């Protein structure tokens, strides 16, 4: 896997984009739950925001796959992450607003729903067929590491500096 990343500049760029995107996902997931709990004081509020995060997957998952097939994949990925950056910025600015938190949760999840199939579909264009398994492993590894390492890091940051900085 490391050898493949070393010899493939295009895969390195995709890997870096994927890593940054997954890092943002890890921070946002923790920060949203904490924010909504702080705003509502309720597990029902947390359950509501999690349900809102699931909606884009259910409503737009198939459409996102079609978009990844028919549109330029890099543009789809960049557009998805720019949209997520706007949603996260809104959360950082208006972190005291429950409606903003729920809307941002929906938009962040929608961005992930669009980004993921575009990223996966781009991979065969970036590496040779014999390197596809290793490249998929690299992207999956960074996604899992983001959850394992960065979610607790987000918790520490939120505990010491508040949710706004995490977004």
């Amino acid at each position: 896997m490391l050898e493949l990343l070393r010899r493939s500049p295009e895969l390195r760029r995709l890997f870096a984009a994927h890593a940054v995107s997954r890092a943002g996902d890890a921070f946002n997931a923790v920060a949203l739950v904490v924010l909504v709990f702080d705003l509502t004081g309720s597990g029902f509020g947390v359950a509501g925001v999690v349900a809102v995060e699931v909606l884009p997957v259910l409503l737009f998952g198939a459409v996102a796959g079609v978009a990844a097939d028919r549109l330029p994949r890099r543009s789809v990925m960049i557009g998805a992450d720019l949209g997520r950056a706007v949603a996260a910025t809104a959360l950082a600015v208006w972190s005291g607003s429950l409606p903003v938190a729920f809307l941002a949760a929906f938009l962040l999840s929608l961005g992930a729903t669009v980004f993921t199939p575009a990223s996966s579909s781009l991979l065969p264009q970036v590496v040779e067929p014999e390197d596809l398994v290793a490249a998929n492993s690299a992207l999956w590894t960074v996604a899992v590491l983001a959850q394992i390492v960065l979610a607790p890091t987000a918790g520490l940051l939120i505990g010491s500096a508040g949710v706004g900085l995490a977004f």
Side-chain angles (χ1 to χ4, degrees):
M1 181 171 68
L2 292 176
E3 169 60 24
L4 178 58
L5 284 167
R6 186 190 63 71
R7 66 181 157 86
S8 175
E10 208 169 0
L11 178 60
R12 274 196 311 272
R13 286 190 296 275
L14 178 61
F15 181 85
H18 194 76
V20 168
S21 184
R22 291 299 186 150
D25 292 346
F27 270 74
N28 288 333
V30 174
L32 266 169
V33 169
V34 172
L35 173 63
V36 170
F37 187 78
D38 284 350
L39 293 174
T40 65
S42 164
F44 289 114
V46 171
V49 80
V50 171
V52 166
E53 289 176 308
V54 172
L55 279 176
V57 177
L58 297 174
L59 297 174
F60 301 108
V63 174
V66 171
D69 285 341
R70 296 192 178 158
L71 299 172
R73 292 172 179 113
R74 286 178 179 91
S75 298
V76 169
M77 292 167 59
I78 291 167
D81 272 356
L82 287 175
R84 290 195 284 181
V86 169
T89 300
L91 276 170
V93 173
W94 294 290
S95 62
S97 170
L98 190 60
V100 170
F102 274 79
L103 177 61
F106 183 88
L107 294 174
L108 289 166
S109 180
L110 178 60
T113 300
V114 171
F115 181 94
T116 301
S119 175
S120 297
S121 299
L122 182 62
L123 207 50
Q125 295 175 359
V126 172
V127 298
E128 298 298 323
E130 62 271 9
D131 292 327
L132 199 52
V133 171
N136 269 316
S137 295
L139 295 184
W140 181 248
T141 299
V142 77
V144 171
L145 284 175
Q147 290 176 329
I148 293 169
V149 174
L150 295 179
T153 303
L156 291 172
L157 178 67
I158 292 163
S160 62
V163 294
L165 188 59
F167 294 118

PDB file of all heavy atoms in Angstrom, residues 131-151:
ATOM      1  N   ASP A 131      -3.659  -2.829  -9.147  1.00  0.00           N
ATOM      2  CA  ASP A 131      -3.423  -2.064  -7.918  1.00  0.00           C
ATOM      3  C   ASP A 131      -4.722  -1.641  -7.232  1.00  0.00           C
ATOM      4  O   ASP A 131      -4.691  -0.981  -6.186  1.00  0.00           O
ATOM      5  CB  ASP A 131      -2.596  -0.810  -8.223  1.00  0.00           C
ATOM      6  CG  ASP A 131      -1.183  -1.139  -8.649  1.00  0.00           C
ATOM      7  OD1 ASP A 131      -0.639  -2.146  -8.139  1.00  0.00           O
ATOM      8  OD2 ASP A 131      -0.627  -0.405  -9.483  1.00  0.00           O
ATOM      9  N   LEU A 132      -5.843  -2.004  -7.782  1.00  0.00           N
ATOM     10  CA  LEU A 132      -7.131  -1.541  -7.276  1.00  0.00           C
ATOM     11  C   LEU A 132      -7.404  -1.999  -5.840  1.00  0.00           C
ATOM     12  O   LEU A 132      -7.871  -1.213  -5.015  1.00  0.00           O
ATOM     13  CB  LEU A 132      -8.258  -2.003  -8.213  1.00  0.00           C
ATOM     14  CG  LEU A 132      -9.578  -1.278  -8.114  1.00  0.00           C
ATOM     15  CD1 LEU A 132      -9.409   0.224  -8.213  1.00  0.00           C
ATOM     16  CD2 LEU A 132     -10.524  -1.778  -9.196  1.00  0.00           C
ATOM     17  N   VAL A 133      -7.100  -3.238  -5.527  1.00  0.00           N
ATOM     18  CA  VAL A 133      -7.338  -3.743  -4.168  1.00  0.00           C
ATOM     19  C   VAL A 133      -6.484  -2.965  -3.167  1.00  0.00           C
ATOM     20  O   VAL A 133      -6.975  -2.537  -2.113  1.00  0.00           O
ATOM     21  CB  VAL A 133      -7.082  -5.261  -4.080  1.00  0.00           C
ATOM     22  CG1 VAL A 133      -7.107  -5.740  -2.640  1.00  0.00           C
ATOM     23  CG2 VAL A 133      -8.105  -6.017  -4.915  1.00  0.00           C
ATOM     24  N   ALA A 134      -5.222  -2.763  -3.469  1.00  0.00           N
ATOM     25  CA  ALA A 134      -4.341  -2.022  -2.563  1.00  0.00           C
ATOM     26  C   ALA A 134      -4.802  -0.572  -2.412  1.00  0.00           C
ATOM     27  O   ALA A 134      -4.782  -0.012  -1.309  1.00  0.00           O
ATOM     28  CB  ALA A 134      -2.900  -2.074  -3.061  1.00  0.00           C
ATOM     29  N   ALA A 135      -5.236   0.029  -3.497  1.00  0.00           N
ATOM     30  CA  ALA A 135      -5.709   1.414  -3.441  1.00  0.00           C
ATOM     31  C   ALA A 135      -6.993   1.511  -2.616  1.00  0.00           C
ATOM     32  O   ALA A 135      -7.148   2.433  -1.800  1.00  0.00           O
ATOM     33  CB  ALA A 135      -5.930   1.949  -4.851  1.00  0.00           C
ATOM     34  N   ASN A 136      -7.918   0.576  -2.820  1.00  0.00           N
ATOM     35  CA  ASN A 136      -9.132   0.547  -2.001  1.00  0.00           C
ATOM     36  C   ASN A 136      -8.786   0.360  -0.532  1.00  0.00           C
ATOM     37  O   ASN A 136      -9.388   0.991   0.342  1.00  0.00           O
ATOM     38  CB  ASN A 136     -10.066  -0.581  -2.452  1.00  0.00           C
ATOM     39  CG  ASN A 136     -11.042  -0.132  -3.499  1.00  0.00           C
ATOM     40  OD1 ASN A 136     -11.626   0.937  -3.401  1.00  0.00           O
ATOM     41  ND2 ASN A 136     -11.225  -0.953  -4.513  1.00  0.00           N
ATOM     42  N   SER A 137      -7.821  -0.487  -0.260  1.00  0.00           N
ATOM     43  CA  SER A 137      -7.380  -0.713   1.119  1.00  0.00           C
ATOM     44  C   SER A 137      -6.818   0.568   1.734  1.00  0.00           C
ATOM     45  O   SER A 137      -7.068   0.861   2.908  1.00  0.00           O
ATOM     46  CB  SER A 137      -6.321  -1.810   1.172  1.00  0.00           C
ATOM     47  OG  SER A 137      -6.867  -3.035   0.790  1.00  0.00           O
ATOM     48  N   ALA A 138      -6.067   1.313   0.950  1.00  0.00           N
ATOM     49  CA  ALA A 138      -5.500   2.567   1.447  1.00  0.00           C
ATOM     50  C   ALA A 138      -6.608   3.550   1.830  1.00  0.00           C
ATOM     51  O   ALA A 138      -6.572   4.160   2.904  1.00  0.00           O
ATOM     52  CB  ALA A 138      -4.574   3.190   0.402  1.00  0.00           C
ATOM     53  N   LEU A 139      -7.613   3.693   0.964  1.00  0.00           N
ATOM     54  CA  LEU A 139      -8.707   4.623   1.260  1.00  0.00           C
ATOM     55  C   LEU A 139      -9.531   4.145   2.446  1.00  0.00           C
ATOM     56  O   LEU A 139      -9.958   4.944   3.287  1.00  0.00           O
ATOM     57  CB  LEU A 139      -9.590   4.820   0.027  1.00  0.00           C
ATOM     58  CG  LEU A 139      -8.926   5.493  -1.169  1.00  0.00           C
ATOM     59  CD1 LEU A 139      -9.930   5.706  -2.287  1.00  0.00           C
ATOM     60  CD2 LEU A 139      -8.282   6.813  -0.780  1.00  0.00           C
ATOM     61  N   TRP A 140      -9.776   2.849   2.526  1.00  0.00           N
ATOM     62  CA  TRP A 140     -10.537   2.312   3.643  1.00  0.00           C
ATOM     63  C   TRP A 140      -9.751   2.482   4.949  1.00  0.00           C
ATOM     64  O   TRP A 140     -10.321   2.837   5.978  1.00  0.00           O
ATOM     65  CB  TRP A 140     -10.883   0.840   3.402  1.00  0.00           C
ATOM     66  CG  TRP A 140     -11.684   0.265   4.519  1.00  0.00           C
ATOM     67  CD1 TRP A 140     -11.285  -0.679   5.403  1.00  0.00           C
ATOM     68  CD2 TRP A 140     -13.023   0.604   4.893  1.00  0.00           C
ATOM     69  NE1 TRP A 140     -12.291  -0.963   6.297  1.00  0.00           N
ATOM     70  CE2 TRP A 140     -13.375  -0.176   6.002  1.00  0.00           C
ATOM     71  CE3 TRP A 140     -13.958   1.504   4.380  1.00  0.00           C
ATOM     72  CZ2 TRP A 140     -14.611  -0.091   6.623  1.00  0.00           C
ATOM     73  CZ3 TRP A 140     -15.200   1.584   5.006  1.00  0.00           C
ATOM     74  CH2 TRP A 140     -15.511   0.796   6.105  1.00  0.00           C
ATOM     75  N   THR A 141      -8.449   2.253   4.905  1.00  0.00           N
ATOM     76  CA  THR A 141      -7.619   2.397   6.095  1.00  0.00           C
ATOM     77  C   THR A 141      -7.667   3.818   6.631  1.00  0.00           C
ATOM     78  O   THR A 141      -7.819   4.035   7.838  1.00  0.00           O
ATOM     79  CB  THR A 141      -6.163   1.985   5.782  1.00  0.00           C
ATOM     80  OG1 THR A 141      -6.158   0.613   5.386  1.00  0.00           O
ATOM     81  CG2 THR A 141      -5.259   2.180   6.982  1.00  0.00           C
ATOM     82  N   VAL A 142      -7.552   4.798   5.762  1.00  0.00           N
ATOM     83  CA  VAL A 142      -7.579   6.182   6.234  1.00  0.00           C
ATOM     84  C   VAL A 142      -8.957   6.527   6.792  1.00  0.00           C
ATOM     85  O   VAL A 142      -9.068   7.282   7.763  1.00  0.00           O
ATOM     86  CB  VAL A 142      -7.129   7.183   5.142  1.00  0.00           C
ATOM     87  CG1 VAL A 142      -8.199   7.441   4.108  1.00  0.00           C
ATOM     88  CG2 VAL A 142      -6.695   8.492   5.766  1.00  0.00           C
ATOM     89  N   ALA A 143     -10.009   5.971   6.247  1.00  0.00           N
ATOM     90  CA  ALA A 143     -11.358   6.218   6.768  1.00  0.00           C
ATOM     91  C   ALA A 143     -11.503   5.645   8.178  1.00  0.00           C
ATOM     92  O   ALA A 143     -12.029   6.306   9.084  1.00  0.00           O
ATOM     93  CB  ALA A 143     -12.403   5.618   5.831  1.00  0.00           C
ATOM     94  N   VAL A 144     -11.026   4.435   8.377  1.00  0.00           N
ATOM     95  CA  VAL A 144     -11.127   3.789   9.687  1.00  0.00           C
ATOM     96  C   VAL A 144     -10.222   4.501  10.695  1.00  0.00           C
ATOM     97  O   VAL A 144     -10.632   4.746  11.838  1.00  0.00           O
ATOM     98  CB  VAL A 144     -10.793   2.290   9.576  1.00  0.00           C
ATOM     99  CG1 VAL A 144     -10.676   1.643  10.943  1.00  0.00           C
ATOM    100  CG2 VAL A 144     -11.854   1.581   8.738  1.00  0.00           C
ATOM    101  N   LEU A 145      -9.017   4.845  10.289  1.00  0.00           N
ATOM    102  CA  LEU A 145      -8.115   5.551  11.194  1.00  0.00           C
ATOM    103  C   LEU A 145      -8.684   6.905  11.603  1.00  0.00           C
ATOM    104  O   LEU A 145      -8.508   7.331  12.749  1.00  0.00           O
ATOM    105  CB  LEU A 145      -6.732   5.722  10.566  1.00  0.00           C
ATOM    106  CG  LEU A 145      -5.866   4.474  10.555  1.00  0.00           C
ATOM    107  CD1 LEU A 145      -4.567   4.723   9.789  1.00  0.00           C
ATOM    108  CD2 LEU A 145      -5.569   3.999  11.968  1.00  0.00           C
ATOM    109  N   ALA A 146      -9.357   7.580  10.693  1.00  0.00           N
ATOM    110  CA  ALA A 146      -9.983   8.861  11.032  1.00  0.00           C
ATOM    111  C   ALA A 146     -10.996   8.670  12.157  1.00  0.00           C
ATOM    112  O   ALA A 146     -11.049   9.468  13.099  1.00  0.00           O
ATOM    113  CB  ALA A 146     -10.649   9.474   9.806  1.00  0.00           C
ATOM    114  N   GLN A 147     -11.771   7.602  12.072  1.00  0.00           N
ATOM    115  CA  GLN A 147     -12.755   7.342  13.128  1.00  0.00           C
ATOM    116  C   GLN A 147     -12.075   6.972  14.441  1.00  0.00           C
ATOM    117  O   GLN A 147     -12.465   7.454  15.503  1.00  0.00           O
ATOM    118  CB  GLN A 147     -13.699   6.223  12.707  1.00  0.00           C
ATOM    119  CG  GLN A 147     -14.643   6.626  11.605  1.00  0.00           C
ATOM    120  CD  GLN A 147     -15.498   5.460  11.147  1.00  0.00           C
ATOM    121  OE1 GLN A 147     -15.073   4.313  11.182  1.00  0.00           O
ATOM    122  NE2 GLN A 147     -16.705   5.759  10.705  1.00  0.00           N
ATOM    123  N   ILE A 148     -11.076   6.125  14.373  1.00  0.00           N
ATOM    124  CA  ILE A 148     -10.429   5.632  15.591  1.00  0.00           C
ATOM    125  C   ILE A 148      -9.604   6.721  16.280  1.00  0.00           C
ATOM    126  O   ILE A 148      -9.646   6.860  17.500  1.00  0.00           O
ATOM    127  CB  ILE A 148      -9.539   4.411  15.274  1.00  0.00           C
ATOM    128  CG1 ILE A 148     -10.409   3.221  14.855  1.00  0.00           C
ATOM    129  CG2 ILE A 148      -8.655   4.041  16.461  1.00  0.00           C
ATOM    130  CD1 ILE A 148      -9.626   2.059  14.282  1.00  0.00           C
ATOM    131  N   VAL A 149      -8.859   7.485  15.510  1.00  0.00           N
ATOM    132  CA  VAL A 149      -7.939   8.464  16.079  1.00  0.00           C
ATOM    133  C   VAL A 149      -8.582   9.839  16.224  1.00  0.00           C
ATOM    134  O   VAL A 149      -8.447  10.497  17.262  1.00  0.00           O
ATOM    135  CB  VAL A 149      -6.652   8.562  15.221  1.00  0.00           C
ATOM    136  CG1 VAL A 149      -5.738   9.669  15.708  1.00  0.00           C
ATOM    137  CG2 VAL A 149      -5.919   7.231  15.209  1.00  0.00           C
ATOM    138  N   LEU A 150      -9.296  10.276  15.206  1.00  0.00           N
ATOM    139  CA  LEU A 150      -9.764  11.656  15.208  1.00  0.00           C
ATOM    140  C   LEU A 150     -11.066  11.882  15.963  1.00  0.00           C
ATOM    141  O   LEU A 150     -11.290  12.978  16.468  1.00  0.00           O
ATOM    142  CB  LEU A 150      -9.883  12.172  13.770  1.00  0.00           C
ATOM    143  CG  LEU A 150      -8.541  12.250  13.046  1.00  0.00           C
ATOM    144  CD1 LEU A 150      -8.728  12.733  11.621  1.00  0.00           C
ATOM    145  CD2 LEU A 150      -7.565  13.139  13.788  1.00  0.00           C
ATOM    146  N   ALA A 151     -11.920  10.876  16.066  1.00  0.00           N
ATOM    147  CA  ALA A 151     -13.150  11.066  16.842  1.00  0.00           C
ATOM    148  C   ALA A 151     -12.812  11.344  18.317  1.00  0.00           C
ATOM    149  O   ALA A 151     -13.326  12.310  18.893  1.00  0.00           O
ATOM    150  CB  ALA A 151     -14.085   9.879  16.682  1.00  0.00           C
TER     151      ALA A 151
END
